[in-house]
Amino acid sequence: MGFADYLKELLRPLGVYDLASGLGSGELEAEGAQLDALYRRLMDIEQEAIPATAEDWGLGLYEDILPYHPASGTTEERREAVMALLRIDDASFTLQDIRDTVAGCGIPADVTESAVPQTVEIAFPGVRGEPDRFEALQQRLEQILPCHLGIVYALVFLTWQEVEVWALTWQTIEGAGMTWKELEIYSREVEA
């Protein structure tokens, strides 16, 4: 039911107006159409104003005012990153706060306390070698995290033993024209 119908239902009990074809019916239709358009616009604004439901321009506006932009591209990843960046509190240095800060980069990462005092270890689960755009990600993390913390990146690289298990030879690898990075991608596909 649109607003035109709603307005007509409000006036129907008065019994004074011909709501189907009278002079005022056209006005009610026009007013109802404008109220429907306003309602749709307000619903769009409400959706885009809340980071958990934003899909388009609302996420862009949040990203514009935040000091760091999420590194991810999908809508859901951007939402998660914006919400994580909004949770950052400059005065909090708990492990959970640091995890939220790292989540603001938009890349899944595990943050744990290192055995070395005042050092955190950041691992990227399911990623062999360096994640895509690692230098930019590393720079962003080091700008966001408190300066008194040391950061150790726990990167997992392909080992020769894994290559031997797949029975790959240099001839096979070179014949396929694979770079080491492509071999690491191949290893993810084999493990999946």
Side-chain angles (χ1 to χ4, degrees):
M1 179 166 96
F3 276 99
D5 293 333
Y6 176 74
L7 292 172
K8 289 178 182 180
E9 289 303 313
L10 281 176
L11 294 173
R12 192 173 315 284
L14 296 176
V16 178
Y17 303 101
D18 179 6
L19 301 173
S21 61
L23 294 175
S25 69
E27 289 179 26
L28 290 175
E29 290 293 334
E31 290 171 359
Q34 289 300 310
L35 288 171
D36 287 340
L38 176 62
Y39 177 76
R40 286 189 300 274
R41 179 68 179 136
L42 290 174
M43 293 305 292
D44 184 47
I45 290 170
E46 177 187 26
Q47 175 183 330
E48 294 296 325
I50 301 169
T53 59
E55 294 181 353
D56 187 26
W57 56 267
L59 282 175
L61 290 176
Y62 274 109
E63 291 168 345
D64 288 346
I65 64 170
L66 291 169
Y68 306 101
H69 293 259
S72 304
T74 69
T75 301
E76 188 58 36
E77 291 170 337
R78 288 174 61 204
R79 281 182 192 155
E80 292 295 323
V82 164
M83 289 187 291
L85 287 168
L86 289 172
R87 287 191 301 265
I88 294 173
D89 180 1
D90 292 336
S92 297
F93 302 119
T94 66
L95 188 58
Q96 186 57 47
D97 291 329
I98 293 170
R99 285 182 179 136
D100 287 343
T101 300
V102 170
C105 290
I107 305 252
D110 291 333
V111 180
T112 55
E113 290 183 39
S114 175
V116 178
Q118 295 185 341
T119 304
V120 293
E121 188 172 292
I122 300 177
F124 304 97
V127 176
R128 291 283 190 144
E130 294 179 350
D132 293 336
R133 303 178 310 274
F134 180 65
E135 289 179 17
L137 178 64
Q138 186 178 13
Q139 182 180 15
R140 179 176 294 172
L141 289 171
E142 291 171 5
Q143 287 175 340
I144 293 175
L145 292 179
C147 62
H148 72 279
L149 287 179
I151 303 172
V152 174
Y153 296 96
L155 303 176
V156 177
F157 290 94
L158 188 60
T159 64
W160 286 115
Q161 290 80 11
E162 291 170 307
V163 174
E164 289 173 356
V165 167
W166 303 324
L168 294 176
T169 63
W170 276 115
Q171 185 178 10
T172 307
I173 295 170
E174 289 175 352
M178 297 173 88
T179 65
W180 192 257
K181 185 75 171 174
E182 290 170 332
L183 192 57
E184 288 174 339
I185 292 170
Y186 173 79
S187 73
R188 282 183 246 156
E189 294 169 357
V190 169
E191 291 173 352

